[in-house]
Amino acid sequence: MINTHVDLNIVDGDFVFNPSLSVEKLSAAKVIGQDVKHRILESGLLVKLVKQRNRNGIAPVLTDLELEVEQDDRLKPGTILITYNSDNTLSIEAETKQYGLMKWAGA
């Protein structure tokens, strides 16, 4: 199978370098995961979670985030689940069209 998904590895807004000081590359499902993370960060929806203290206020924001993530055409529609964890992080589960079920924790 030809790997059509390749990207540079970015962590905390900066490139990640390997020991030979070349920028690390991501491939396959890791590219989709990084793109989902950036889509969420750039959506501006996380700001709404900061002020929420109860589940009734958090649930609509998670739905909005799921709808935002669902716009990625590499994911199967209706399979995105975003969970707000007790440590104030997000866990994301989605079915990709090419790589199957993917889970990202601590986003």
Side-chain angles (χ1 to χ4, degrees):
M1 171 175 27
I2 297 173
N3 191 356
T4 58
H5 299 106
V6 177
D7 200 357
L8 300 177
N9 191 7
I10 300 172
V11 174
D12 294 329
D14 205 358
F15 294 113
V16 175
F17 294 95
N18 62 24
S20 64
L21 299 179
S22 297
V23 178
E24 260 185 28
K25 291 182 182 175
L26 297 177
S27 61
K30 291 181 181 181
V31 172
I32 298 172
Q34 178 171 271
D35 290 347
V36 165
K37 178 181 173 182
H38 290 157
R39 180 181 288 271
I40 288 172
L41 289 171
E42 293 167 3
S43 73
L45 292 168
L46 292 179
V47 175
K48 292 182 178 182
L49 284 178
V50 173
K51 64 181 178 182
Q52 296 300 327
R53 299 285 184 239
N54 62 53
R55 291 283 176 197
N56 292 337
I58 293 171
V61 178
L62 295 180
T63 300
D64 290 344
L65 284 169
E66 288 172 359
L67 292 171
E68 179 69 31
V69 170
E70 196 168 87
Q71 292 180 30
D72 190 318
D73 63 356
R74 298 168 294 181
L75 301 175
K76 290 184 182 177
T79 66
I80 292 91
L81 175 65
I82 299 180
T83 307
Y84 189 74
N85 303 317
S86 60
D87 64 351
N88 300 323
T89 61
L90 298 177
S91 294
I92 305 163
E93 187 175 303
E95 184 83 23
T96 66
K97 291 179 179 176
Q98 258 187 304
Y99 307 108
L101 182 66
M102 303 304 308
K103 296 180 181 185
W104 303 277

